[in-house]
Amino acid sequence: MTGSNRSGELSDTLRAVTLSVLMVLSVLSVGALPAAAQASEADPSISVTNQPSGNVSAEGSFDITYEIANNGNASSSFTVEVPSTPSGISVDSFSGDIQGPNPDGSPPSTSTTAVSAGSAATVTVTYNVSSSASGSGNIGVDATAPLSGNSDSQTT
């Protein structure tokens, strides 16, 4: 019985020492990371790279291409939403560097493929114009990095 008790004490001591060593290594490895790696974030900015050069006709469609640049220091996919369109204009589809469009969502949205820090994704939105559309108006587009919450908006 004495041998089995010593074996249990040795096993408990070995577990405690192993746990202590692992905790010290974890603390040292976290503290050894550079500050930029500890606070990595994606940061989108939107620019229009292609749009109609003049009037668009009723009962037709047109495309606007947006570049979503990642100005942050971490790779990310961005949620791209079209929260506002003029009366008589609707989103038909998304194309480009996307994972999957949801033009029927409210608001219509898609998600870009992963964009490395310092790189950009291109998203083209095809808009439909109904017969009731007239005049001029603004179309808004938002891009958001889901983890950091950083976002940018563009109005065309």
Side-chain angles (χ1 to χ4, degrees), residues 68 76-81 94-102 108-115 121-123 144 146:
I68 294 85
S76 178
S77 296
F78 297 103
T79 301
V80 177
E81 295 180 334
F94 296 94
S95 60
D97 301 323
I98 63 172
Q99 293 184 38
N102 185 6
S109 64
T110 190
S111 183
T112 67
T113 54
V115 181
T122 301
V123 176
T144 305

Side-chain angles (χ1 to χ4, degrees), residues 59-151:
E59 302 209 20
S61 64
F62 64 95
D63 294 337
I64 299 178
T65 301
Y66 303 93
E67 181 179 86
I68 294 85
N70 184 355
N71 297 321
N73 59 3
S75 181
S76 178
S77 296
F78 297 103
T79 301
V80 177
E81 295 180 334
V82 181
S84 62
T85 59
S87 179
I89 307 285
S90 61
V91 174
D92 180 55
S93 64
F94 296 94
S95 60
D97 301 323
I98 63 172
Q99 293 184 38
N102 185 6
D104 298 326
S106 182
S109 64
T110 190
S111 183
T112 67
T113 54
V115 181
S116 302
S119 295
T122 301
V123 176
T124 299
V125 182
T126 300
Y127 297 93
N128 279 333
V129 183
S130 74
S131 60
S132 65
S134 65
S136 62
N138 295 321
I139 296 174
V141 173
D142 299 333
T144 305
L147 294 179
S148 68
N150 292 338
S151 64

Side-chain angles (χ1 to χ4, degrees), residues 22-39:
L22 289 173
M23 288 173 60
V24 168
L25 289 175
S26 294
V27 169
L28 288 175
S29 68
V30 168
L33 291 175
Q38 291 180 12

